[in-house]
Amino acid sequence: MIEIGGNGRLWLLSGRRSSYALHLTDEDALLHLHWGPRLTVPDAEALAAEPLPAERGFESPLDGREEYPVEGGPRFVRPALSVRAAGVRGTEWRFQESAVSGDELRLRFHDPLHHLDITLHYRMRDDGDVIERWTTLTHTGTPDDAPLELLRADSAAWSLPAGERHRLSHLYGRWAAESRLARTDLTPGEKVIGSRRGHTSHQHLPWIAIDDGTATEESGEVHSCALAWSGSWRIAVQRLADGTVQTVGGAGHDEAGLLLLAPGESFTTPVFAGLWTQRGFGAASRGWHAWQLAHVIPGAHQERPVLYNSWEATEFEVSEEQQRSLARLAAGLGVELFVVDDGWFGSRTSDRAGLGDWTPNPDRFPQGLKPLADEVHGLGMRFGIWVEPEMVNADSDLYRAHPDWVQHHPGRTRTEFRNQLVLNLARPDVRAYLWERLDTLLSSAPIDYVKWDFNRSFTDPGWPGDPYPQRLGIEHVRGLYDLLGRLRAAHPGVAFESCSGGGGRIDLGILGLTDQVWTSDNTDPLDRLAIQHGFSQLHPARVMAAWVTDSPNVMGNQRTSGLGFRFVSAMAGVLGIGGDLTKWSEAELTEARDWVALYKRIRPVVQHGEQYRLRPPGGGGLSAVQYVRGEETVVLAWLHAQSYGEPQPPLRLRGLDPDSAYEDLATGTVHRGAVLSHHGLRTGLRGDLDAAVFHLRRTEQVG
Ligand code: GLA
């Protein structure tokens, strides 16, 4: 809902439980007023009437209060916008008009010297508390005017009122150890997270949360924001001298220049979304999850199938017969989607060759993929394949034909990682090639699923011959989005997974075009709990692919763990199996079948329920996650290690009706809702690496 006050110069956006307010001063400064509990227009008008802090030497009253701090004039904060034209930097803008259409507010400003229109967009939907913000920049000049260089064009700035203490939560990591949660106090100055790698990165996810140091999982005020962009990015959080905090974020990692806008051209930034709650980090996550399920992830109401992926079992030693054997074993377990990973195409018998040549390897699949796909379908499963379209090996037909299609600087080394180079998707000819190859591939066999990988970062993002080669950073991502969008439209039955050596490209941008993500190449079930804990801060279980692999964990830390622990860990998201089933014993296959059957029973609750993190992993003890959907609730609990004599704490469940009874569907035990909520569920876990699933259903009112 959008309300207007203050003689048409104040806007109040309200969602389910929160409001966001801003106003224009008489001098056309656009100031932030409120981001918190719901307000009325008179409340916001009263706020707007409060005087700005008194002028203090060497400080600007605007700093920390502007909705979109531009470069230049009376400001010293990090600008959201930095524009250069004909040697002149900075922006002086005047308000032009506001417009409301549905739940979107648009505020248009104009800089006459630069012929630049700046439109700030806000959208807050009635069904939640996420505010989507983005900015459109348009060169309104005539063909004779100089182009505008967007040195920096952030999506939005978020302002928090002065406080004695601000604590920042963010997600960091590395390959095979993504999305670790860090929580640290902000001191005066700037904290910058981001990626200069050309993709979202394993190192940081574009999400932050800020509280006053007292919020817990279930209580306290939390402001958080997340950027919907899959290329290089930056979020800068600044705590100013007066205790206010301002956060700017957007595409690109520095101010070296994103794009040139010719007269008539526009750039629309990615969305930088924000969410406020006063019910703790858990409610913040549930708010983000609900918004993604309702408005970001395509077809999110559908359940994701249990998949089998052959990568850890076979690596590059792929053959049709071996895939058929694995498929038969997988089908016997109740798997619903069978995915052939790397090694099926071109001359791809190792990571040294073949990327770029997207036709089946004639020795391995002499009749193409269709016979295998048909067999997989005959076994009652869907069929999927792995691709890595943005990459090329130097040893490939594609590179031999088009060495100029890769990102490179003239006269400089073409850096290889994993023996591969990055194609320049900003080039229309590269996109046309990939579109033709992938469209043909998806038409050549009944393929239902594509794991879209991206296994190295940008290192030499040059584009010889282009007048403004650094636009590649933005245009590569736009090219990727365009390609994915076209493929989805042409093949609506195909689901896509975003992978980048595990979790190197997970963000709200790619999730608008994919059905799930590969969370991490680390499939160790214990390591995975920490990764999943961080992941759940922003993203829902419905997109979090997790596989059960072999023990010891051959591709990772070699840890030995029981099949039950491995399954319960992977059941916290979209369950998959990635072990070498030909080596599993009959007993293991039977046990696995039971776990898959149990997962299918709890799947609607896990994938679409509200998630409560009951106890975080780490510390060596008990951790647990609960999901609630309608009458049903599921608890997954893991015990890392038990010290002798140390009791396991009961798990106090959330989101239950204290006046109802809940039946454990496995044992028939009936629990009272009040007891589960206030005293807890005893897990009975013991020893090392133990785990359990509790599936409860509300049965009756208790007297
Ligand atoms: C990446 C992925 C893996 C696998 C390999 C194949 O590392 O994350 O799951 O697909 O590539 O080369």
Side-chain angles (χ1 to χ4, degrees), residues 15-20 35-37 123-125 127-133 158 160 207-211 220-226 272-292 508 537-538:
R16 243 165 96 179
R17 292 195 172 91
S18 63
S19 291
Y20 189 96
W35 184 18
R123 181 195 285 137
M124 194 167 193
R125 305 171 196 265
D127 62 354
D129 291 290
V130 171
I131 309 159
E132 298 160 38
R133 293 185 54 190
W158 299 97
L160 299 186
W207 166 88
I208 60 158
I210 298 175
D211 75 301
E221 240 190 326
V222 179
H223 292 87
S224 59
C225 38
F272 196 17
L275 171 73
W276 171 89
T277 176
Q278 58 188 352
R279 293 173 302 128
F281 297 110
S285 298
R286 289 186 290 280
W288 284 117
H289 297 174
W291 171 70
Q292 287 166 77
L508 296 170
Q537 302 296 320
L538 178 60

Side-chain angles (χ1 to χ4, degrees), residues 524-597:
D524 173 73
L526 183 64
D527 284 4
R528 209 41 191 260
L529 296 181
I531 296 170
Q532 296 177 174
H533 179 72
F535 183 96
S536 75
Q537 302 296 320
L538 178 60
H539 299 300
R542 162 63 177 67
V543 297
M544 186 182 78
W547 305 345
V548 174
T549 56
D550 294 332
S551 170
N553 190 276
V554 283
M555 285 211 175
N557 56 13
Q558 306 292 325
R559 183 181 276 120
T560 300
S561 55
L563 199 54
F565 191 84
R566 279 177 273 151
F567 262 100
V568 182
S569 172
M571 284 159 83
V574 179
L575 177 67
I577 298 175
D580 185 354
L581 297 180
T582 62
K583 300 213 174 75
W584 288 21
S585 68
E586 272 309 316
E588 285 174 314
L589 292 171
T590 304
E591 187 185 338
R593 194 172 304 131
D594 292 343
W595 284 115
V596 171

Side-chain angles (χ1 to χ4, degrees), residues 53-65 73-77 238-244:
E55 291 248 6
R56 277 166 302 159
F58 295 93
E59 298 288 352
S60 164
L62 296 179
D63 281 351
R65 288 169 186 81
R75 310 172 172 90
F76 308 105
V77 286
Q238 184 168 15
R239 186 173 151 98
L240 302 170
D242 63 357
T244 56

Side-chain angles (χ1 to χ4, degrees), residues 311 316 341-342 348 386 418 451 453 455 499-502 518 521 547:
W311 171 244
F316 289 103
D341 208 274
D342 203 345
R348 186 78 168 167
W386 178 96
R418 213 192 186 208
K451 174 178 173 181
D453 212 334
N455 272 318
C499 174
S500 170
W518 181 222
D521 277 344
W547 305 345

